[in-house]
Amino acid sequence: MGINLIYANLVALIPVLSMGYQNLRACITDLEKHGHLIRIKEEVDPYLEMAAIHLRVFEHNGPALLFENIKGSKFPAVSNLFGTVERSKFMFRDTLDKIKVLVDLKNDPIKALKHPFQYLNVAATALSALPMKVGKNAPISFGQTQISELPQIVNWPMDGGPFVTMPQVYTEDADKPGILNANLGMYRIQLAGNDYIQNEEIGLHYQLHRGIGIHQSKANAKGQPLKVSIFVGGPPSHPLAAVMPLPEGLSEMTFAGALGNRRFRYFYDEEGFCISADADFVITGTVMPHQNKPEGPFGDHLGYYSLTHPFPLMKVNKVYHRKDPIWSFTVVGRPPQEDTSFGALIHEISGAAIPKEIPGLHEVHAVDAAGVHPLLFAIGSERYTPYLKERKPQEILTLANHILGSNQLSLAKYLFICAYEDNPSLDAHNIPQFMQHMLERVDLSRDLHFYTRTTIDTLDYSGSDLNSGSKLVVAAAGDKKRELWKELPSQFTLPRPFQNFKMVMPGILAVEAPKYISESETEKEIAILNAHLKNEALDGLPLMILCDDAGFTAETTNNFVWVTFTRSNPSHDVYGINSFTEHKHWGCRGPLIIDARIKPHHAPPLIKDAAVEKRVDRLGEKGGVLHGII
């Protein structure tokens, strides 16, 4: 019996479905009933104020927010639905455990044969995965509007205009049309500003290694427009499906149905655009081959602005909405943010999927506090030469190459990987523990592996150009090589101009440096450090971070990883005491130095508007709608 047939037979075992949320309003009603949502009835400004309220409430682990009176729009809006992991789990309380089993079965369907009765309780959930085509009189067909009437939400002062920040962007494969081969992704949409013709044009931003890019490439090759449908709202399983890294062969629409216990309902309108019947809004339009316009700036999830660049231009066709629709949005900024909860929920659902796709890999963690793509931690098996007493990185280097060749993991800039056998209880999500394990074992003369002139995250401006930068793999395997300093020896000094420094965690020192000027000036500064330290016994201090503010960098673990790994490009910003190049291999025999100062080509960090923050303060005062929350 084939694997797919096993899976299909399992799905057919139970024909009755339990129903999930039918739409976004049903979810909001449920959240409000259980104390997970509050209504903001007074008029709020979509320019900065709504985002500021959201950010403040999120920072205090507050409830979801329903904005009922938005200046300039007749439509209400909701945010912070996924603001806490607990609330996210609450929304999917009936299906979360079952969907985890389904993802597990997709990776190993033979389990259904070995333990058929163990999986009977998830069969109904599996059956709900099949999308359902419905008539054109679906709720989304209630009315039509135009782009300018939607909530024009601007999150950050330097943003280029209002953006859709919780979209579900639907496209189909020109070679294999139909919903089961379609892509549903969350790519930001600029509604106005720049050179866009109001109500006629919007901007479509997507990054490397996204499914929509494959679809646009195929459409371009055929010389035909790419039809795009942007869904906003709908059951909460729909936006989660749009960001879910699914196993090969499992579509976002099937996942949305299974997670929501409600089949994904859709139809095609007269122009042939796919319409989500349960969405609150649907924007349809076309992207013509090689037609771009400037998009951005936009405050993004690395904690900086992504700047203005040419991205695909979408010609708007229609904007559908249901009766009493609710606009769904989030605020993107320095992590943790609402998308952090997205990530935590995704890890809980599919955390075991990636390791199963890469033999020997036990765990991989994209570090959210560092902006996700700039920093990966991984744990893998080291079994190549068990007959040798001395152990060193071998198999984990093979795993590192596999990780950096896998979908969005390929956007990683720094990858720290260690051997499972050295500590089976090590947790890659515990940043201090993981860094200590690595730094106790790494051989800086041998275990640093650079990839130069390659691709990095589109949103990462530490590189040499858009999408361009370098990567560094730091590998560690074997016994402890050193005891890390927990505090500096009394005789430790640094030369001028490096007078301020502070321990971050064992073995890591934040060193405040002068403002960055140029590569040549940095070389001089490193030479000063090297001359002062080259003959010192520094084995307990394997890592030094040059930064603009040592106190800020060392204050929290989150600050350390954010500053260090979002503000450095390995090929340009990694140095070392007693460094050398031998047979094309670079290493150092003293501390590794990462220059994490802000450089002139970096994007500006996100800074809140002080006047807007004062308005939010008033909402938290006694009698204010947010009193007791912020």
Side-chain angles (χ1 to χ4, degrees):
M1 182 181 292
I3 292 296
N4 292 334
L5 188 56
I6 296 171
Y7 196 66
N9 287 344
L10 176 68
V11 169
L13 287 175
I14 299 179
V16 180
L17 293 176
S18 58
M19 302 300 290
Y21 296 126
Q22 294 189 26
N23 50 56
L24 179 57
R25 187 168 291 276
C27 174
I28 288 171
T29 300
D30 185 43
L31 291 178
E32 186 174 35
K33 176 183 175 183
H34 290 88
H36 291 295
L37 177 140
I38 63 168
R39 295 172 182 259
I40 298 179
K41 298 181 180 296
E42 52 259 57
E43 184 182 70
V44 292
D45 195 332
Y47 181 75
L48 303 184
E49 186 177 17
M50 291 174 67
I53 292 170
H54 167 103
L55 287 171
R56 193 76 66 85
V57 171
F58 173 83
E59 289 165 3
H60 289 82
N61 295 312
L65 301 167
L66 180 61
F67 298 90
E68 294 189 325
N69 188 2
I70 299 174
K71 183 178 180 180
S73 179
K74 63 183 178 181
F75 302 115
V78 67
S79 76
N80 209 33
L81 285 176
F82 298 90
T84 68
V85 176
E86 292 73 24
R87 185 158 59 250
S88 300
K89 290 182 178 180
F90 175 82
M91 288 188 290
F92 304 114
R93 58 195 182 275
D94 294 332
T95 60
L96 191 57
D97 289 338
K98 298 173 186 176
I99 200 71
K100 285 190 286 186
V101 174
L102 281 174
V103 171
D104 186 49
L105 276 179
K106 185 66 179 177
N107 285 292
D108 187 9
I110 205 70
K111 289 181 180 179
L113 280 185
K114 295 179 178 177
H115 311 284
F117 295 102
Q118 181 179 337
Y119 297 103
L120 287 177
N121 65 336
V122 302
T125 304
L127 186 56
S128 66
L130 188 64
M132 175 187 290
K133 195 169 186 178
V134 298
K136 297 179 181 180
N137 60 345
I140 189 65
S141 304
F142 176 81
Q144 294 187 31
T145 185
Q146 55 185 357
I147 297 294
S148 60
E149 293 181 348
L150 302 173
Q152 304 293 296
I153 300 171
V154 177
N155 287 351
W156 296 98
M158 289 174 56
D159 279 0
F163 285 83
V164 188
T165 52
M166 194 72 86
Q168 307 145 45
V169 182
Y170 177 97
T171 55
E172 293 190 4
D173 189 323
D175 294 333
K176 296 181 291 184
I179 195 164
L180 291 180
N181 294 310
N183 179 75
L184 191 71
M186 193 170 285
Y187 320 114
R188 73 178 189 237
I189 308 296
Q190 186 169 349
L191 294 176
N194 297 350
D195 300 328
Y196 300 118
I197 301 173
Q198 190 170 43
N199 295 320
E200 297 180 19
E201 299 175 343
I202 58 179
L204 175 58
H205 177 116
Y206 66 85
Q207 298 158 49
L208 301 177
H209 302 284
R210 301 303 198 267
I212 187 175
I214 298 172
H215 290 176
Q216 187 177 2
S217 296
K218 289 186 176 182
N220 288 353
K222 294 177 179 292
Q224 65 186 40
L226 177 69
K227 289 182 180 292
V228 179
S229 300
I230 301 167
F231 313 144
V232 179
S237 60
H238 292 192
L240 183 58
V243 296
M244 189 75 188
L246 297 173
E248 190 71 27
L250 186 61
S251 80
E252 290 85 5
M253 276 58 65
T254 59
F255 180 83
L259 181 62
N261 246 353
R262 176 177 170 81
R263 296 171 67 181
F264 187 95
R265 288 155 166 76
Y266 72 100
F267 65 91
Y268 289 90
D269 69 5
E270 289 78 4
E271 287 90 355
F273 291 92
C274 184
I275 309 297
S276 169
D278 287 336
D280 287 68
F281 298 87
V282 176
I283 304 169
T284 64
T286 53
V287 175
M288 298 298 295
H290 313 299
Q291 285 192 3
N292 303 319
K293 275 194 174 183
E295 185 266 0
F298 178 76
D300 230 312
H301 72 261
L302 266 69
Y304 309 89
Y305 287 94
S306 57
L307 304 181
T308 304
H309 297 285
F311 277 97
L313 173 68
M314 177 172 161
K315 299 289 184 71
V316 177
N317 188 49
K318 290 181 179 178
V319 183
Y320 296 94
H321 68 83
R322 64 186 302 130
K323 185 179 181 180
D324 299 325
I326 300 170
W327 186 258
S328 180
F329 77 100
T330 188
V331 181
V332 186
R334 180 192 161 183
Q337 296 295 345
E338 185 176 359
D339 53 3
T340 301
S341 298
F342 260 137
L345 194 61
I346 288 169
H347 177 75
E348 178 152 338
I349 293 170
S350 64
I354 292 175
K356 288 183 178 178
E357 292 177 7
I358 302 178
L361 182 64
H362 291 264
E363 186 177 7
V364 62
H365 174 210
V367 181
D368 180 75
V372 181
H373 291 140
L375 179 62
L376 289 185
F377 289 165
I379 301 172
S381 288
E382 185 56 74
R383 304 163 297 187
Y384 273 10
T385 53
Y387 46 85
L388 295 181
K389 182 177 180 180
E390 182 186 1
R391 298 175 59 253
K392 60 183 180 180
Q394 296 179 101
E395 184 177 4
I396 58 174
L397 294 178
T398 301
L399 294 175
N401 287 327
H402 200 155
I403 291 168
L404 293 179
S406 299
N407 300 321
Q408 294 183 37
L409 294 178
S410 65
L411 300 177
K413 187 168 60 175
Y414 287 87
L415 168 58
F416 287 71
I417 186 168
C418 62
Y420 171 79
E421 290 75 14
D422 293 332
N423 182 0
S425 64
L426 185 65
D427 181 3
H429 287 74
N430 185 328
I431 296 173
Q433 180 196 43
F434 188 88
M435 286 300 297
Q436 179 171 337
H437 177 94
M438 289 288 307
L439 295 177
E440 287 174 341
R441 290 165 174 79
V442 67
D443 181 342
L444 295 172
S445 69
R446 180 192 65 197
D447 296 336
L448 305 175
H449 305 274
F450 289 85
Y451 301 68
T452 60
R453 299 189 179 186
T454 186
T455 55
I456 59 173
D457 189 356
T458 304
L459 307 178
D460 190 335
Y461 285 85
S462 68
S464 52
D465 203 350
L466 185 67
N467 300 325
S468 301
S470 61
K471 303 179 188 299
L472 172 60
V473 171
V474 182
D479 297 333
K480 284 177 58 174
K481 293 178 173 60
R482 63 185 63 86
E483 290 294 331
L484 302 178
W485 290 354
K486 295 181 180 178
E487 57 185 32
L488 295 173
S490 59
Q491 71 273 19
F492 180 85
T493 63
L494 289 179
R496 291 183 182 275
F498 307 100
Q499 296 302 293
N500 296 323
F501 43 86
K502 191 169 184 179
M503 292 297 294
V504 176
M505 60 182 68
I508 304 175
L509 183 68
V511 178
E512 196 164 305
K515 182 179 179 181
Y516 180 92
I517 296 175
S518 65
E519 286 185 33
S520 60
E521 193 64 28
T522 300
E523 294 283 355
K524 295 176 184 177
E525 293 164 344
I526 297 298
I528 292 171
L529 278 174
N530 190 67
H532 186 82
L533 297 175
K534 64 181 180 180
N535 296 318
E536 299 293 320
L538 302 173
D539 198 44
L541 184 67
L543 181 58
M544 298 170 63
I545 310 301
L546 297 189
C547 56
D548 298 300
D549 186 336
F552 175 81
T553 302
E555 184 179 12
T556 66
T557 298
N558 282 1
N559 285 1
F560 157 64
V561 297
W562 182 62
V563 168
T564 302
F565 300 106
T566 66
R567 297 180 181 178
S568 62
N569 177 19
S571 60
H572 290 56
D573 298 322
V574 170
Y575 301 89
I577 302 301
N578 288 320
S579 65
F580 65 90
T581 302
E582 186 177 272
H583 304 310
K584 311 295 190 301
H585 177 82
W586 185 93
C588 57
R589 297 185 176 91
L592 187 71
I593 301 172
I594 299 178
D595 184 357
R597 291 175 290 180
I598 293 177
K599 319 297 191 303
H601 62 278
H602 288 185
L606 303 178
I607 300 174
K608 297 178 180 178
D609 184 282
V612 174
E613 291 303 308
K614 288 181 180 179
R615 296 207 301 269
V616 178
D617 288 340
R618 290 195 289 270
L619 296 176
E621 295 173 356
K622 190 173 182 179
V625 67
L626 299 180
H627 179 65
I629 296 175
I630 65 173

